[in-house]
Amino acid sequence: MSTTTERVTAADAHAWGGLDESTARAVLEEALAAATGEGVTFADVRLVEAEEERLYTDLRGELDERREHNAGLGVRVLRDGVWGFASASLDGPGTAQAVARRAVAAAAAAAGTAPVVLAPREPTSGTWSVPVDVDPFEVSAGERHDLLQRIVRAASVPGLVRSVTAGLNAKRQHKHYADSEGSRQSQHLVETGAMLLAVAADERGAQRRSFPNSFHGNTAAAGWEYVLGLGLEDEATRVGEEAVALLGAPQAPGGTADVVIGPAQLALQIHESVGHALELDRILGDETNFAGRSWVQPDDIGSLRYGSPAMNVVADPTVPGTRGSFAFDDEGTPATRHALIEKGVLRDVLSSRDAVARHGGETTGAARADGWAWLPVCFATNVYLEPGEGSLDELLDRMGDGYYADDNRTWSIDDRRMAFQFGTEAAWEVKNGKRGRLLRGFSYGGLTPQFWGSLEAVAGPEEFKAYGMPCGKGEPKQWGFLGHGASPSLFRGISTGVAR
């Protein structure tokens, strides 16, 4: 049985923490004033306070609840064309001035490395907040625990379900930014999410189903209302039944086939074979030692045939409600919509100011950092495949015979984001445009340009779904939190059965 707490709504959801606007501004100005000296041409300061809560349970009914809080300062200085960076927790020793001086000293110590130039940009100031109907941090422990227990019970009704994990997560952040060019910005973020994973097993093996996405669930830039809108109990019943049904389902055959891929699987496909491939630091070779490069070359930008004319990919952090939604990236560039791929042709990439200065053009505002302790790097923002027309049923009818596959089970892609293979949790045989038998072990693979070149049609906006997901990058590694979305899409003649 659910209970209802006294809700804390919109404006109050951002009234938390130990830094009010005036205190934060004073810390920023103190650091900026100290980030000076001979040869210093630029400095920026990020002050971030973050709080995160995660709650999980399983068939045993035990609750694993974690709550973390941190606040700190990161100062970046460009001295004689060389970056220096320093950071510190606000509850540790030292002052904002001391952090800034360490950043200047770090730049001096790195003298002689390749000079950095920043693309020009007008200073921009402002305040932005994620709209929140219900503050997830004010939902009672009893209500959250009760919801998770009901989800687990619903998913575990079929006897062969051996394992169920359900989780809820929420995060809130105050992000303040200032730079020596005059920008002064404050952003107040709230995100809320949920996950469910059921595993069925018997002598035939083990099969899994998940919701709302197999890749760490799904998280939105929104309040508790997002979780309530997921219909988790109803979906849990379906997830448990499908996990058991997969045990007796026939193996998906290999070969060459037409396939409609669902939005959850496409979100990861976009992330791996488009988002990462279009990070300009990768294209320029900055990530070679750790995350790898890209099959895209710098001279390709603006003219490369990336996919079919049905492929239109956009980076747009101004779309509300996603994990890649914001008003300013983590080096203060205002969020705007950028067409990355138009009718299959590569038009732009995900860039930061220093990366784009080496290549030319304007930054797409994709410099992002996992809090105050990391330098911003090129990361996806909210990158999605633009919808086309029609419903999923109409798309299946257009395909005729083939498969419908969704929800990622396994993936592998090379360090140039070219050759890949993906396995899905579930697939259905499609005959004469109608979904039929459930199949297990479906997989597909290919090369990025050939795969996207086989895209024939994308379903309409009524079928579009967005997913928030984490991703690691950089050295030292940091997490990026971003959004990808798509409508179900029809691909002709792709290789299947590649991951047995």
Side-chain angles (χ1 to χ4, degrees):
M1 173 180 285
S2 63
T3 58
T4 302
T5 60
E6 182 179 351
R7 306 297 192 186
V8 176
T9 57
D12 291 331
H14 301 295
W16 65 276
L19 288 170
D20 58 29
E21 295 282 336
S22 62
T23 302
R25 182 62 55 87
V27 173
L28 293 176
E29 299 298 341
E30 178 185 343
L32 268 184
T36 57
E38 184 178 354
V40 174
T41 57
F42 175 82
D44 65 9
V45 184
R46 289 179 297 112
L47 177 61
V48 181
E49 182 173 17
E51 189 164 53
E52 186 168 11
E53 187 169 77
R54 293 183 175 275
L55 174 63
Y56 299 95
T57 193
D58 56 22
L59 279 176
R60 296 169 297 179
E62 297 175 359
L63 294 167
D64 178 2
E65 187 161 14
R66 309 167 191 179
R67 193 161 186 162
E68 300 174 353
H69 172 271
N70 67 83
L73 184 74
V75 180
R76 191 174 63 159
V77 170
L78 198 57
R79 180 185 184 275
D80 294 330
V82 177
W83 280 126
F85 178 73
S87 63
S89 169
L90 290 186
D91 58 7
T95 64
Q97 290 183 16
V99 176
R101 289 173 184 143
R102 283 200 288 118
V104 174
T113 57
V116 172
V117 176
L118 295 181
R121 184 190 66 195
E122 293 295 320
T124 305
S125 298
T127 299
W128 179 80
S129 300
V130 169
V132 176
D133 290 339
V134 182
D135 185 351
F137 287 84
E138 292 297 325
V139 177
S140 72
E143 183 172 353
R144 290 180 290 118
H145 297 174
D146 182 61
L147 174 60
L148 287 182
Q149 300 299 347
R150 286 183 282 123
I151 294 168
V152 170
R153 284 197 298 271
S156 61
V157 168
L160 293 178
V161 172
R162 309 296 189 189
S163 171
V164 180
T165 303
L168 300 167
N169 60 283
K171 185 176 182 179
R172 53 188 179 185
Q173 297 180 82
H174 298 307
K175 302 176 75 171
H176 304 279
Y177 173 89
D179 65 38
S180 56
E181 296 173 339
S183 294
R184 301 289 187 272
Q185 302 158 1
S186 294
Q187 300 185 87
H188 307 284
L189 286 70
V190 171
E191 61 181 42
T192 311
M195 62 79 62
L196 166 66
L197 173 64
V199 178
D202 65 6
E203 68 280 1
R204 294 166 293 183
Q207 295 291 331
R208 54 177 260 189
R209 289 294 281 137
S210 56
F211 180 81
N213 186 6
S214 61
F215 197 71
H216 302 278
N218 198 13
T219 297
W224 182 249
E225 66 276 6
Y226 171 73
V227 171
L228 296 180
L230 287 173
L232 284 162
E233 284 184 85
D234 290 341
E235 295 292 345
T237 300
R238 174 187 62 80
V239 162
E241 291 171 349
E242 285 186 356
V244 173
L246 281 166
L247 291 172
Q251 172 72 40
T256 300
D258 299 335
V259 181
V260 171
I261 301 177
Q265 170 59 30
L266 269 181
L268 188 60
Q269 178 81 52
I270 293 166
H271 175 75
E272 301 292 356
S273 68
V274 180
H276 278 311
L278 299 190
E279 294 162 352
L280 184 56
D281 56 356
R282 274 181 178 268
I283 294 170
L284 296 175
D286 298 354
E287 291 288 315
T288 302
N289 287 348
F290 186 65
R293 299 191 61 138
S294 172
W295 69 279
V296 175
Q297 298 302 302
D299 290 343
D300 293 336
I301 301 170
S303 61
L304 176 70
R305 169 60 65 181
Y306 207 98
S308 76
M311 183 187 192
N312 294 284
V313 176
V314 171
D316 191 355
T318 69
V319 173
T322 84
R323 222 174 186 183
S325 304
F326 52 79
F328 309 97
D329 76 357
D330 288 318
E331 61 178 5
T333 299
T336 52
R337 182 183 192 275
H338 292 271
L340 301 180
I341 298 172
E342 293 181 309
K343 296 182 178 179
V345 177
L346 177 62
R347 297 303 187 192
D348 211 339
V349 293
L350 298 160
S351 62
S352 59
R353 292 184 71 186
D354 57 356
V356 83
R358 282 183 282 158
H359 178 265
E362 297 182 358
T363 176
T364 48
R368 309 192 68 193
D370 184 14
W372 49 268
W374 285 267
L375 278 163
V377 295
C378 294
F379 245 130
T381 56
N382 178 40
V383 176
Y384 59 91
L385 180 66
E386 284 204 297
E389 294 180 346
S391 66
L392 171 59
D393 287 343
E394 289 170 326
L395 198 65
L396 296 176
D397 185 63
R398 176 173 179 155
M399 179 173 68
D401 294 346
Y403 303 97
Y404 175 71
D406 205 5
D407 293 318
N408 186 262
R409 176 172 50 90
T410 62
W411 80 95
S412 174
I413 189 165
D414 69 30
D415 62 356
R416 295 175 61 239
R417 305 286 146 172
M418 171 62 88
F420 66 83
Q421 62 178 36
F422 289 91
T424 63
E425 285 187 351
W428 288 263
E429 191 175 50
V430 178
K431 292 287 188 183
N432 297 317
K434 304 298 181 187
R435 207 190 304 194
R437 294 187 303 168
L438 179 67
L439 304 173
R440 63 180 168 84
F442 185 86
S443 63
Y444 67 96
L447 301 176
T448 292
Q450 284 82 355
F451 171 77
W452 286 107
S454 71
L455 174 64
E456 180 176 294
V458 182
E462 67 273 23
E463 302 282 1
F464 184 91
K465 293 183 179 178
Y467 297 91
M469 54 182 63
C471 179
K473 185 183 174 182
E475 193 173 12
K477 182 179 179 179
Q478 60 177 301
W479 289 102
F481 300 93
L482 34 95
H484 295 298
S487 297
S489 302
L490 169 59
F491 296 83
R492 293 287 189 185
I494 64 175
S495 296
T496 64
V498 299
R500 291 186 210 175

